[in-house]
mmCIF file of all heavy atoms in Angstrom:
data_model
loop_
_atom_site.group_PDB
_atom_site.id
_atom_site.type_symbol
_atom_site.label_atom_id
_atom_site.label_comp_id
_atom_site.label_asym_id
_atom_site.label_seq_id
_atom_site.Cartn_x
_atom_site.Cartn_y
_atom_site.Cartn_z
ATOM 1 N N ALA A 26 -88.483 -82.911 245.362
ATOM 2 C CA ALA A 26 -88.791 -84.224 245.927
ATOM 3 C C ALA A 26 -87.830 -85.276 245.387
ATOM 4 O O ALA A 26 -87.338 -86.134 246.132
ATOM 5 C CB ALA A 26 -90.237 -84.612 245.618
ATOM 6 N N GLY A 27 -87.546 -85.211 244.081
ATOM 7 C CA GLY A 27 -86.593 -86.140 243.497
ATOM 8 C C GLY A 27 -85.206 -85.973 244.077
ATOM 9 O O GLY A 27 -84.499 -86.958 244.352
ATOM 10 N N GLU A 28 -84.818 -84.730 244.310
ATOM 11 C CA GLU A 28 -83.508 -84.472 244.909
ATOM 12 C C GLU A 28 -83.426 -85.064 246.312
ATOM 13 O O GLU A 28 -82.419 -85.688 246.685
ATOM 14 C CB GLU A 28 -83.266 -82.960 244.959
ATOM 15 C CG GLU A 28 -81.906 -82.579 245.516
ATOM 16 C CD GLU A 28 -81.677 -81.080 245.530
ATOM 17 O OE1 GLU A 28 -82.520 -80.332 244.973
ATOM 18 O OE2 GLU A 28 -80.657 -80.640 246.097
ATOM 19 N N GLU A 29 -84.497 -84.906 247.093
ATOM 20 C CA GLU A 29 -84.502 -85.449 248.455
ATOM 21 C C GLU A 29 -84.506 -86.977 248.437
ATOM 22 O O GLU A 29 -83.832 -87.624 249.247
ATOM 23 C CB GLU A 29 -85.712 -84.923 249.219
ATOM 24 C CG GLU A 29 -85.712 -85.331 250.677
ATOM 25 C CD GLU A 29 -86.763 -84.602 251.497
ATOM 26 O OE1 GLU A 29 -87.336 -83.599 251.017
ATOM 27 O OE2 GLU A 29 -87.009 -85.041 252.637
ATOM 28 N N LEU A 30 -85.255 -87.560 247.518
ATOM 29 C CA LEU A 30 -85.290 -89.016 247.411
ATOM 30 C C LEU A 30 -83.926 -89.575 247.017
ATOM 31 O O LEU A 30 -83.497 -90.614 247.531
ATOM 32 C CB LEU A 30 -86.347 -89.438 246.388
ATOM 33 C CG LEU A 30 -87.801 -89.313 246.840
ATOM 34 C CD1 LEU A 30 -88.739 -89.375 245.646
ATOM 35 C CD2 LEU A 30 -88.141 -90.395 247.862
ATOM 36 N N ARG A 31 -83.245 -88.890 246.118
ATOM 37 C CA ARG A 31 -81.922 -89.374 245.696
ATOM 38 C C ARG A 31 -80.913 -89.289 246.845
ATOM 39 O O ARG A 31 -80.030 -90.144 246.962
ATOM 40 C CB ARG A 31 -81.428 -88.587 244.474
ATOM 41 C CG ARG A 31 -82.116 -89.002 243.177
ATOM 42 C CD ARG A 31 -81.463 -88.377 241.955
ATOM 43 N NE ARG A 31 -81.615 -86.925 241.934
ATOM 44 C CZ ARG A 31 -82.667 -86.287 241.441
ATOM 45 N NH1 ARG A 31 -83.682 -86.972 240.928
ATOM 46 N NH2 ARG A 31 -82.731 -84.966 241.454
ATOM 47 N N GLU A 32 -81.047 -88.289 247.699
ATOM 48 C CA GLU A 32 -80.120 -88.196 248.827
ATOM 49 C C GLU A 32 -80.281 -89.388 249.780
ATOM 50 O O GLU A 32 -79.321 -89.813 250.421
ATOM 51 C CB GLU A 32 -80.306 -86.881 249.591
ATOM 52 C CG GLU A 32 -79.313 -86.731 250.728
ATOM 53 C CD GLU A 32 -79.291 -85.345 251.354
ATOM 54 O OE1 GLU A 32 -79.966 -84.439 250.817
ATOM 55 O OE2 GLU A 32 -78.602 -85.175 252.368
ATOM 56 N N GLY A 33 -81.478 -89.940 249.845
ATOM 57 C CA GLY A 33 -81.704 -91.082 250.729
ATOM 58 C C GLY A 33 -81.720 -92.420 250.017
ATOM 59 O O GLY A 33 -82.172 -93.418 250.579
ATOM 60 N N ARG A 34 -81.177 -92.462 248.792
ATOM 61 C CA ARG A 34 -81.366 -93.644 247.948
ATOM 62 C C ARG A 34 -80.676 -94.914 248.447
ATOM 63 O O ARG A 34 -81.044 -96.016 248.058
ATOM 64 C CB ARG A 34 -80.903 -93.339 246.518
ATOM 65 C CG ARG A 34 -79.408 -93.001 246.363
ATOM 66 C CD ARG A 34 -79.158 -92.477 244.947
ATOM 67 N NE ARG A 34 -77.762 -92.151 244.657
ATOM 68 C CZ ARG A 34 -77.212 -90.963 244.858
ATOM 69 N NH1 ARG A 34 -77.922 -89.996 245.415
ATOM 70 N NH2 ARG A 34 -75.943 -90.728 244.527
ATOM 71 N N ASN A 35 -79.672 -94.775 249.285
ATOM 72 C CA ASN A 35 -78.961 -95.947 249.808
ATOM 73 C C ASN A 35 -79.052 -96.068 251.330
ATOM 74 O O ASN A 35 -78.395 -96.921 251.928
ATOM 75 C CB ASN A 35 -77.473 -95.875 249.414
ATOM 76 C CG ASN A 35 -77.269 -96.035 247.918
ATOM 77 O OD1 ASN A 35 -77.669 -97.018 247.317
ATOM 78 N ND2 ASN A 35 -76.633 -95.028 247.301
ATOM 79 N N TYR A 36 -79.861 -95.234 251.944
ATOM 80 C CA TYR A 36 -79.844 -95.101 253.404
ATOM 81 C C TYR A 36 -80.422 -96.325 254.111
ATOM 82 O O TYR A 36 -79.816 -96.856 255.053
ATOM 83 C CB TYR A 36 -80.617 -93.842 253.800
ATOM 84 C CG TYR A 36 -80.380 -93.390 255.212
ATOM 85 C CD1 TYR A 36 -79.293 -92.591 255.531
ATOM 86 C CD2 TYR A 36 -81.252 -93.748 256.232
ATOM 87 C CE1 TYR A 36 -79.070 -92.159 256.833
ATOM 88 C CE2 TYR A 36 -81.038 -93.325 257.537
ATOM 89 C CZ TYR A 36 -79.947 -92.530 257.827
ATOM 90 O OH TYR A 36 -79.737 -92.114 259.115
ATOM 91 N N ALA A 37 -81.600 -96.784 253.690
ATOM 92 C CA ALA A 37 -82.215 -97.937 254.350
ATOM 93 C C ALA A 37 -81.344 -99.182 254.197
ATOM 94 O O ALA A 37 -81.237 -100.001 255.114
ATOM 95 C CB ALA A 37 -83.612 -98.194 253.780
ATOM 96 N N GLN A 38 -80.698 -99.302 253.031
ATOM 97 C CA GLN A 38 -79.808 -100.456 252.810
ATOM 98 C C GLN A 38 -78.592 -100.382 253.736
ATOM 99 O O GLN A 38 -78.128 -101.395 254.255
ATOM 100 C CB GLN A 38 -79.333 -100.502 251.353
ATOM 101 C CG GLN A 38 -80.452 -100.537 250.308
ATOM 102 C CD GLN A 38 -80.783 -99.161 249.772
ATOM 103 O OE1 GLN A 38 -81.265 -98.305 250.505
ATOM 104 N NE2 GLN A 38 -80.526 -98.935 248.493
ATOM 105 N N ALA A 39 -78.072 -99.157 253.953
ATOM 106 C CA ALA A 39 -76.928 -98.997 254.846
ATOM 107 C C ALA A 39 -77.305 -99.317 256.291
ATOM 108 O O ALA A 39 -76.531 -99.927 257.033
ATOM 109 C CB ALA A 39 -76.376 -97.579 254.749
ATOM 110 N N LEU A 40 -78.515 -98.911 256.694
ATOM 111 C CA LEU A 40 -78.969 -99.208 258.043
ATOM 112 C C LEU A 40 -79.032 -100.714 258.300
ATOM 113 O O LEU A 40 -78.864 -101.169 259.427
ATOM 114 C CB LEU A 40 -80.357 -98.606 258.287
ATOM 115 C CG LEU A 40 -80.446 -97.093 258.480
ATOM 116 C CD1 LEU A 40 -81.900 -96.662 258.601
ATOM 117 C CD2 LEU A 40 -79.663 -96.642 259.706
ATOM 118 N N ALA A 41 -79.277 -101.482 257.244
ATOM 119 C CA ALA A 41 -79.385 -102.932 257.394
ATOM 120 C C ALA A 41 -78.024 -103.618 257.527
ATOM 121 O O ALA A 41 -77.966 -104.813 257.860
ATOM 122 C CB ALA A 41 -80.145 -103.517 256.199
ATOM 123 N N LYS A 42 -76.939 -102.880 257.274
ATOM 124 C CA LYS A 42 -75.606 -103.460 257.449
ATOM 125 C C LYS A 42 -75.306 -103.659 258.929
ATOM 126 O O LYS A 42 -75.986 -103.111 259.789
ATOM 127 C CB LYS A 42 -74.548 -102.554 256.811
ATOM 128 C CG LYS A 42 -74.723 -102.310 255.318
ATOM 129 C CD LYS A 42 -74.555 -103.573 254.517
ATOM 130 C CE LYS A 42 -74.691 -103.288 253.019
ATOM 131 N NZ LYS A 42 -74.642 -104.535 252.221
ATOM 132 N N LYS A 43 -74.242 -104.401 259.204
ATOM 133 C CA LYS A 43 -73.914 -104.717 260.591
ATOM 134 C C LYS A 43 -72.527 -104.204 260.963
ATOM 135 O O LYS A 43 -71.661 -104.069 260.102
ATOM 136 C CB LYS A 43 -73.994 -106.225 260.811
ATOM 137 C CG LYS A 43 -75.400 -106.777 260.646
ATOM 138 C CD LYS A 43 -75.448 -108.259 260.887
ATOM 139 C CE LYS A 43 -76.893 -108.726 260.848
ATOM 140 N NZ LYS A 43 -77.572 -108.335 259.616
ATOM 141 N N GLY A 44 -72.356 -103.945 262.267
ATOM 142 C CA GLY A 44 -71.060 -103.562 262.795
ATOM 143 C C GLY A 44 -70.542 -102.263 262.203
ATOM 144 O O GLY A 44 -71.314 -101.377 261.807
ATOM 145 N N PRO A 45 -69.216 -102.140 262.109
ATOM 146 C CA PRO A 45 -68.608 -100.907 261.597
ATOM 147 C C PRO A 45 -69.022 -100.566 260.169
ATOM 148 O O PRO A 45 -69.051 -99.388 259.797
ATOM 149 C CB PRO A 45 -67.101 -101.208 261.673
ATOM 150 C CG PRO A 45 -66.976 -102.268 262.720
ATOM 151 C CD PRO A 45 -68.208 -103.103 262.602
ATOM 152 N N ALA A 46 -69.372 -101.592 259.369
ATOM 153 C CA ALA A 46 -69.767 -101.330 257.980
ATOM 154 C C ALA A 46 -70.958 -100.392 257.908
ATOM 155 O O ALA A 46 -71.039 -99.532 257.015
ATOM 156 C CB ALA A 46 -70.081 -102.641 257.263
ATOM 157 N N LYS A 47 -71.894 -100.540 258.842
ATOM 158 C CA LYS A 47 -73.067 -99.665 258.876
ATOM 159 C C LYS A 47 -72.638 -98.210 259.016
ATOM 160 O O LYS A 47 -73.063 -97.330 258.253
ATOM 161 C CB LYS A 47 -73.981 -100.068 260.031
ATOM 162 C CG LYS A 47 -75.263 -99.238 260.133
ATOM 163 C CD LYS A 47 -75.868 -99.277 261.530
ATOM 164 C CE LYS A 47 -76.279 -100.671 261.935
ATOM 165 N NZ LYS A 47 -77.622 -101.035 261.426
ATOM 166 N N LEU A 48 -71.809 -97.943 259.997
ATOM 167 C CA LEU A 48 -71.390 -96.569 260.277
ATOM 168 C C LEU A 48 -70.568 -95.983 259.138
ATOM 169 O O LEU A 48 -70.698 -94.800 258.805
ATOM 170 C CB LEU A 48 -70.591 -96.534 261.581
ATOM 171 C CG LEU A 48 -71.334 -97.041 262.824
ATOM 172 C CD1 LEU A 48 -70.425 -97.007 264.042
ATOM 173 C CD2 LEU A 48 -72.596 -96.230 263.074
ATOM 174 N N ILE A 49 -69.718 -96.807 258.524
ATOM 175 C CA ILE A 49 -68.896 -96.331 257.410
ATOM 176 C C ILE A 49 -69.769 -95.942 256.225
ATOM 177 O O ILE A 49 -69.597 -94.874 255.619
ATOM 178 C CB ILE A 49 -67.865 -97.407 257.009
ATOM 179 C CG1 ILE A 49 -66.840 -97.594 258.128
ATOM 180 C CG2 ILE A 49 -67.171 -97.033 255.701
ATOM 181 C CD1 ILE A 49 -65.941 -98.801 257.947
ATOM 182 N N HIS A 50 -70.732 -96.801 255.904
ATOM 183 C CA HIS A 50 -71.635 -96.488 254.783
ATOM 184 C C HIS A 50 -72.459 -95.236 255.067
ATOM 185 O O HIS A 50 -72.613 -94.364 254.194
ATOM 186 C CB HIS A 50 -72.569 -97.676 254.515
ATOM 187 C CG HIS A 50 -71.965 -98.763 253.679
ATOM 188 N ND1 HIS A 50 -71.667 -98.591 252.335
ATOM 189 C CD2 HIS A 50 -71.606 -100.032 253.980
ATOM 190 C CE1 HIS A 50 -71.152 -99.708 251.853
ATOM 191 N NE2 HIS A 50 -71.099 -100.596 252.821
ATOM 192 N N LEU A 51 -73.002 -95.135 256.280
ATOM 193 C CA LEU A 51 -73.830 -93.977 256.614
ATOM 194 C C LEU A 51 -73.018 -92.678 256.575
ATOM 195 O O LEU A 51 -73.498 -91.654 256.080
ATOM 196 C CB LEU A 51 -74.462 -94.163 257.994
ATOM 197 C CG LEU A 51 -75.542 -95.233 258.105
ATOM 198 C CD1 LEU A 51 -75.973 -95.417 259.549
ATOM 199 C CD2 LEU A 51 -76.745 -94.893 257.230
ATOM 200 N N ALA A 52 -71.799 -92.718 257.088
ATOM 201 C CA ALA A 52 -70.950 -91.522 257.065
ATOM 202 C C ALA A 52 -70.626 -91.114 255.636
ATOM 203 O O ALA A 52 -70.691 -89.925 255.283
ATOM 204 C CB ALA A 52 -69.669 -91.780 257.859
ATOM 205 N N ALA A 53 -70.280 -92.096 254.810
ATOM 206 C CA ALA A 53 -69.951 -91.788 253.410
ATOM 207 C C ALA A 53 -71.146 -91.190 252.688
ATOM 208 O O ALA A 53 -71.011 -90.235 251.902
ATOM 209 C CB ALA A 53 -69.466 -93.051 252.707
ATOM 210 N N GLN A 54 -72.337 -91.711 252.956
ATOM 211 C CA GLN A 54 -73.533 -91.169 252.315
ATOM 212 C C GLN A 54 -73.841 -89.754 252.806
ATOM 213 O O GLN A 54 -74.289 -88.900 252.030
ATOM 214 C CB GLN A 54 -74.728 -92.088 252.598
ATOM 215 C CG GLN A 54 -74.669 -93.424 251.890
ATOM 216 C CD GLN A 54 -75.807 -94.338 252.274
ATOM 217 O OE1 GLN A 54 -76.877 -93.886 252.663
ATOM 218 N NE2 GLN A 54 -75.597 -95.642 252.164
ATOM 219 N N TYR A 55 -73.588 -89.518 254.075
ATOM 220 C CA TYR A 55 -73.883 -88.200 254.639
ATOM 221 C C TYR A 55 -73.055 -87.115 253.952
ATOM 222 O O TYR A 55 -73.569 -86.026 253.641
ATOM 223 C CB TYR A 55 -73.591 -88.215 256.146
ATOM 224 C CG TYR A 55 -74.037 -86.971 256.870
ATOM 225 C CD1 TYR A 55 -75.367 -86.807 257.240
ATOM 226 C CD2 TYR A 55 -73.136 -85.960 257.189
ATOM 227 C CE1 TYR A 55 -75.788 -85.661 257.921
ATOM 228 C CE2 TYR A 55 -73.542 -84.821 257.862
ATOM 229 C CZ TYR A 55 -74.872 -84.674 258.223
ATOM 230 O OH TYR A 55 -75.289 -83.536 258.881
ATOM 231 N N PHE A 56 -71.799 -87.417 253.702
ATOM 232 C CA PHE A 56 -70.911 -86.401 253.120
ATOM 233 C C PHE A 56 -70.962 -86.364 251.592
ATOM 234 O O PHE A 56 -70.438 -85.429 250.990
ATOM 235 C CB PHE A 56 -69.481 -86.630 253.606
ATOM 236 C CG PHE A 56 -69.301 -86.334 255.071
ATOM 237 C CD1 PHE A 56 -69.102 -87.357 255.993
ATOM 238 C CD2 PHE A 56 -69.377 -85.040 255.556
ATOM 239 C CE1 PHE A 56 -68.960 -87.091 257.346
ATOM 240 C CE2 PHE A 56 -69.241 -84.756 256.902
ATOM 241 C CZ PHE A 56 -69.025 -85.787 257.810
ATOM 242 N N THR A 57 -71.561 -87.382 250.957
ATOM 243 C CA THR A 57 -71.678 -87.384 249.492
ATOM 244 C C THR A 57 -73.125 -87.197 249.045
ATOM 245 O O THR A 57 -73.446 -87.401 247.885
ATOM 246 C CB THR A 57 -71.136 -88.699 248.909
ATOM 247 O OG1 THR A 57 -71.894 -89.804 249.437
ATOM 248 C CG2 THR A 57 -69.670 -88.889 249.235
ATOM 249 N N LYS A 58 -74.005 -86.814 249.989
ATOM 250 C CA LYS A 58 -75.423 -86.586 249.713
ATOM 251 C C LYS A 58 -76.080 -87.800 249.046
ATOM 252 O O LYS A 58 -76.800 -87.671 248.058
ATOM 253 C CB LYS A 58 -75.624 -85.326 248.882
ATOM 254 C CG LYS A 58 -75.270 -84.064 249.655
ATOM 255 C CD LYS A 58 -75.889 -82.829 249.050
ATOM 256 C CE LYS A 58 -75.703 -81.617 249.963
ATOM 257 N NZ LYS A 58 -76.311 -80.396 249.413
ATOM 258 N N GLY A 59 -75.786 -88.965 249.596
ATOM 259 C CA GLY A 59 -76.504 -90.164 249.186
ATOM 260 C C GLY A 59 -75.728 -91.172 248.383
ATOM 261 O O GLY A 59 -76.071 -92.353 248.357
ATOM 262 N N LYS A 60 -74.678 -90.739 247.683
ATOM 263 C CA LYS A 60 -73.962 -91.664 246.808
ATOM 264 C C LYS A 60 -73.241 -92.741 247.606
ATOM 265 O O LYS A 60 -73.338 -93.932 247.286
ATOM 266 C CB LYS A 60 -72.951 -90.893 245.947
ATOM 267 C CG LYS A 60 -72.191 -91.789 244.971
ATOM 268 C CD LYS A 60 -71.244 -90.975 244.105
ATOM 269 C CE LYS A 60 -70.492 -91.876 243.131
ATOM 270 N NZ LYS A 60 -69.562 -91.106 242.272
ATOM 271 N N GLY A 61 -72.496 -92.354 248.613
ATOM 272 C CA GLY A 61 -71.813 -93.302 249.468
ATOM 273 C C GLY A 61 -70.691 -94.040 248.784
ATOM 274 O O GLY A 61 -70.196 -93.640 247.724
ATOM 275 N N LEU A 62 -70.281 -95.149 249.387
ATOM 276 C CA LEU A 62 -69.185 -95.952 248.835
ATOM 277 C C LEU A 62 -69.644 -96.815 247.668
ATOM 278 O O LEU A 62 -68.877 -97.103 246.758
ATOM 279 C CB LEU A 62 -68.605 -96.857 249.933
ATOM 280 C CG LEU A 62 -68.036 -96.144 251.162
ATOM 281 C CD1 LEU A 62 -67.574 -97.166 252.184
ATOM 282 C CD2 LEU A 62 -66.886 -95.223 250.761
ATOM 283 N N ILE A 63 -70.889 -97.254 247.730
ATOM 284 C CA ILE A 63 -71.480 -98.066 246.662
ATOM 285 C C ILE A 63 -72.828 -97.450 246.319
ATOM 286 O O ILE A 63 -73.712 -97.374 247.176
ATOM 287 C CB ILE A 63 -71.670 -99.533 247.111
ATOM 288 C CG1 ILE A 63 -70.339 -100.156 247.517
ATOM 289 C CG2 ILE A 63 -72.324 -100.349 246.001
ATOM 290 C CD1 ILE A 63 -70.483 -101.547 248.126
ATOM 291 N N ASP A 64 -72.956 -96.990 245.080
ATOM 292 C CA ASP A 64 -74.225 -96.397 244.683
ATOM 293 C C ASP A 64 -75.112 -97.489 244.100
ATOM 294 O O ASP A 64 -74.706 -98.209 243.192
ATOM 295 C CB ASP A 64 -74.011 -95.281 243.665
ATOM 296 C CG ASP A 64 -75.190 -94.325 243.628
ATOM 297 O OD1 ASP A 64 -76.148 -94.548 244.388
ATOM 298 O OD2 ASP A 64 -75.153 -93.365 242.851
ATOM 299 N N ARG A 65 -76.297 -97.567 244.599
ATOM 300 C CA ARG A 65 -77.245 -98.676 244.466
ATOM 301 C C ARG A 65 -76.764 -99.852 245.322
ATOM 302 O O ARG A 65 -76.462 -100.950 244.857
ATOM 303 C CB ARG A 65 -77.478 -99.120 243.024
ATOM 304 C CG ARG A 65 -78.698 -100.048 242.892
ATOM 305 C CD ARG A 65 -78.957 -100.429 241.437
ATOM 306 N NE ARG A 65 -79.771 -101.622 241.334
ATOM 307 C CZ ARG A 65 -81.076 -101.671 241.102
ATOM 308 N NH1 ARG A 65 -81.743 -100.554 240.960
ATOM 309 N NH2 ARG A 65 -81.715 -102.809 241.010
ATOM 310 N N LEU A 66 -76.737 -99.564 246.587
ATOM 311 C CA LEU A 66 -76.408 -100.566 247.594
ATOM 312 C C LEU A 66 -77.511 -101.626 247.582
ATOM 313 O O LEU A 66 -78.688 -101.309 247.459
ATOM 314 C CB LEU A 66 -76.344 -99.887 248.963
ATOM 315 C CG LEU A 66 -75.503 -100.497 250.073
ATOM 316 C CD1 LEU A 66 -74.063 -100.717 249.631
ATOM 317 C CD2 LEU A 66 -75.548 -99.583 251.300
ATOM 318 N N SER A 67 -77.132 -102.882 247.687
ATOM 319 C CA SER A 67 -78.090 -103.979 247.558
ATOM 320 C C SER A 67 -79.046 -104.018 248.753
ATOM 321 O O SER A 67 -78.775 -103.455 249.818
ATOM 322 C CB SER A 67 -77.369 -105.312 247.431
ATOM 323 O OG SER A 67 -76.605 -105.578 248.589
ATOM 324 N N ALA A 68 -80.154 -104.716 248.583
ATOM 325 C CA ALA A 68 -81.154 -104.867 249.641
ATOM 326 C C ALA A 68 -81.700 -106.287 249.606
ATOM 327 O O ALA A 68 -81.747 -106.923 248.547
ATOM 328 C CB ALA A 68 -82.289 -103.868 249.458
ATOM 329 N N LYS A 69 -82.111 -106.768 250.766
ATOM 330 C CA LYS A 69 -82.670 -108.106 250.896
ATOM 331 C C LYS A 69 -84.129 -108.017 251.309
ATOM 332 O O LYS A 69 -84.484 -107.261 252.214
ATOM 333 C CB LYS A 69 -81.876 -108.908 251.936
ATOM 334 C CG LYS A 69 -82.242 -110.379 252.022
ATOM 335 C CD LYS A 69 -81.307 -111.104 252.996
ATOM 336 C CE LYS A 69 -81.600 -112.603 253.048
ATOM 337 N NZ LYS A 69 -80.674 -113.298 253.987
ATOM 338 N N ASP A 70 -84.972 -108.775 250.633
ATOM 339 C CA ASP A 70 -86.401 -108.796 250.929
ATOM 340 C C ASP A 70 -86.632 -109.065 252.416
ATOM 341 O O ASP A 70 -86.061 -109.995 252.994
ATOM 342 C CB ASP A 70 -87.058 -109.889 250.083
ATOM 343 C CG ASP A 70 -88.578 -109.857 250.146
ATOM 344 O OD1 ASP A 70 -89.130 -109.463 251.189
ATOM 345 O OD2 ASP A 70 -89.224 -110.246 249.152
ATOM 346 N N ASP A 71 -87.487 -108.249 253.057
ATOM 347 C CA ASP A 71 -87.752 -108.399 254.485
ATOM 348 C C ASP A 71 -88.256 -109.788 254.854
ATOM 349 O O ASP A 71 -88.037 -110.261 255.980
ATOM 350 C CB ASP A 71 -88.785 -107.358 254.937
ATOM 351 C CG ASP A 71 -88.247 -105.941 254.935
ATOM 352 O OD1 ASP A 71 -87.030 -105.765 255.113
ATOM 353 O OD2 ASP A 71 -89.042 -105.003 254.756
ATOM 354 N N ALA A 72 -88.940 -110.446 253.945
ATOM 355 C CA ALA A 72 -89.487 -111.775 254.234
ATOM 356 C C ALA A 72 -88.412 -112.853 254.290
ATOM 357 O O ALA A 72 -88.681 -113.971 254.740
ATOM 358 C CB ALA A 72 -90.538 -112.154 253.189
#
């Protein structure tokens, strides 16, 4: 479970990006099993 959670650790943050940046981050995470270009990608409170 921890391994699966770590693979998705930056995914929701990448989805929140816009334009080509979204696709670049998602592709990088897919091939690095979650690490991506920036590990611990920032997030903004939904509110």
Side-chain angles (χ1 to χ4, degrees):
E28 182 179 353
E29 186 169 347
L30 286 164
R31 284 189 294 274
E32 183 170 353
R34 63 190 182 270
N35 292 303
Y36 195 85
Q38 304 95 295
L40 286 176
K42 300 295 182 185
K43 295 181 174 54
K47 182 202 298 276
L48 301 178
I49 293 169
H50 278 291
L51 290 174
Q54 290 176 26
Y55 188 81
F56 291 109
T57 60
K58 292 200 171 181
K60 182 178 180 180
L62 300 177
I63 301 173
D64 201 0
R65 193 177 160 99
L66 205 54
S67 62
K69 188 175 183 179
D70 189 329
D71 290 332

